[in-house]
Amino acid sequence: MATRRITTYKIQQMKRRGVSIPMVTAYDYTAARIIDAAGLPMILVGDSMGHVVLGYDSTIPVTVDDIVNASAAVVRGTTKPLIVADMPFLSYQIDAETALRNAARLIQEGGAQAVKLEGGKSVAPIIRRLTEAGLAVMGHIGLTPQHVNRLGGYRVQGKTETTANEVLEDALSLQEAGAFSVVLELIPAELAKKITKVLDIPTIGIGAGVHCDGQVQVFHDMLGLDPDFRPRHSGEYATLAPIIKDALVRYGQDVGAGTFPTDAQSFFSDESRVMPPIRNALEPDN
Ligand code: KIV
């Protein structure tokens, strides 16, 4: 039976009702299951996977195949959240028909409900083409990491009056083109507040202050999975890298000492020694 996922309509209704919208990235089945169990309404299969999963120094090498495969895994691991798949660099900028073909792959093969693409006014005609074809599109303005080479680094955008007005105009043009929501990345909090007030569609902030309609965080950043990288805009909800490292060190020591596996992790011809079933740790204790 088909699952009942949160819809773009529901996300827009959250803005109208003043309910904030927490979103997080995911790139694999296991993380997706945990996010599903945590009840977050929206997941981004972000091209940030280029950094945190594939080890590139930008999002530029990420391919449509990478996002299709990750989206399909995230969809398999979830029942409720709306899944938004990122359109990688040059998968939508060449022309609207190429954009439509690549977006269709993310929806049909990846199973996502919506796609996200970066850029302001200049990509509005592409968003228009996708939405007219029936796709749900999330915009992404402010710092657009796929433009890192032109921008000359990952810098806060819209700090002057002129550039702030440009970001605001970008936001309006995406709404006009039919985007259901827009990510505001690394812009001053006052500007994000203004855009959020002016737009009817929800704004989802990252490094854009508290007044956006929702927030998005990169899973690996907010959970402290990289001991050497914690950007200023990321929340500190856990510091998992040392915990995981400690577990792996202890595992190595146990194998070295011959104390792992014990009988509990072993199998015997005598069935009475079989271990009890594994409990689902995501379910509440009864
Ligand atoms: O790819 C990503 O994770 C993103 C977020 C930073 C918004 O685009």
Side-chain angles (χ1 to χ4, degrees):
M1 201 181 90
T3 55
R4 281 174 174 264
R5 285 189 184 273
I6 289 174
T7 60
T8 54
Y9 175 76
K10 181 81 198 286
I11 296 294
Q12 293 186 319
Q13 209 178 34
M14 287 171 82
K15 171 168 181 143
R16 286 193 290 274
R17 294 185 175 165
V19 178
S20 55
I21 308 160
M23 182 183 203
V24 68
T25 65
Y27 321 94
D28 69 274
Y29 169 82
T30 302
R33 286 193 65 210
I34 298 171
I35 297 164
D36 195 47
L40 299 188
M42 200 158 50
I43 292 181
L44 172 64
V45 183
D47 63 358
S48 50
M49 75 183 297
H51 293 283
V52 297
V53 176
L54 300 173
Y56 300 132
D57 64 2
S58 77
T59 57
I60 287 170
V62 175
T63 65
V64 174
D65 281 347
D66 290 332
I67 302 284
V68 165
N69 291 332
S71 298
V74 168
V75 169
R76 285 192 290 271
T78 51
T79 55
K80 276 262 182 246
L82 178 79
I83 310 296
V84 182
D86 236 347
M87 298 201 68
F89 182 59
L90 290 191
S91 69
Y92 56 93
Q93 295 93 333
I94 293 168
D95 58 53
E97 297 314 301
T98 310
L100 186 53
R101 252 193 307 278
N102 285 322
R105 287 198 60 204
L106 302 181
I107 303 293
Q108 292 183 308
E109 296 172 45
Q113 283 72 59
V115 298
K116 173 170 87 55
L117 53 85
E118 295 181 9
K121 274 200 211 75
S122 64
V123 297
I126 308 252
I127 293 182
R128 162 80 56 211
R129 176 73 181 105
L130 299 186
T131 54
E132 281 179 355
L135 280 89
V137 180
M138 177 179 267
H140 181 160
I141 55 175
L143 175 72
T144 45
Q146 292 175 11
H147 300 132
V148 61
N149 290 328
R150 179 169 62 75
L151 296 173
Y154 299 100
R155 269 192 261 283
V156 178
Q157 304 293 305
K159 283 173 91 168
T160 65
E161 199 181 326
T162 310
T163 56
N165 281 335
E166 283 168 10
V167 179
L168 175 59
E169 281 171 24
D170 281 340
L172 287 165
S173 68
L174 300 189
Q175 171 170 278
E176 173 65 27
F180 80 93
S181 170
V182 60
V183 167
L184 305 179
E185 180 165 357
L186 234 53
I187 61 171
E190 312 87 300
L191 174 59
K193 183 176 180 183
K194 182 170 177 186
I195 293 172
T196 300
K197 200 157 171 225
V198 166
L199 290 191
D200 296 325
I201 59 173
T203 59
I204 308 293
I206 176 164
V210 74
H211 297 291
C212 298
D213 299 303
Q215 299 290 328
V216 58
Q217 288 279 289
V218 173
F219 185 86
H220 293 57
D221 295 346
M222 67 175 292
L223 298 179
L225 282 164
D226 182 343
D228 304 320
F229 184 69
R230 194 139 209 176
R232 172 165 159 197
H233 59 68
S234 102
E236 288 200 31
Y237 286 89
T239 305
L240 297 185
I243 295 172
I244 295 169
K245 181 181 162 201
D246 177 60
L248 294 170
V249 167
R250 285 188 291 107
Y251 165 69
Q253 288 165 345
D254 286 354
V255 171
T259 53
F260 179 88
T262 66
D263 282 1
Q265 293 94 26
S266 305
F267 300 86
F268 301 93
S269 39
D270 175 358
E271 286 293 312
S272 66
R273 294 176 71 177
V274 169
M275 64 179 185
I278 296 166
R279 201 171 58 83
N280 182 351
L282 294 181
E283 298 297 334
D285 288 321
N286 294 318

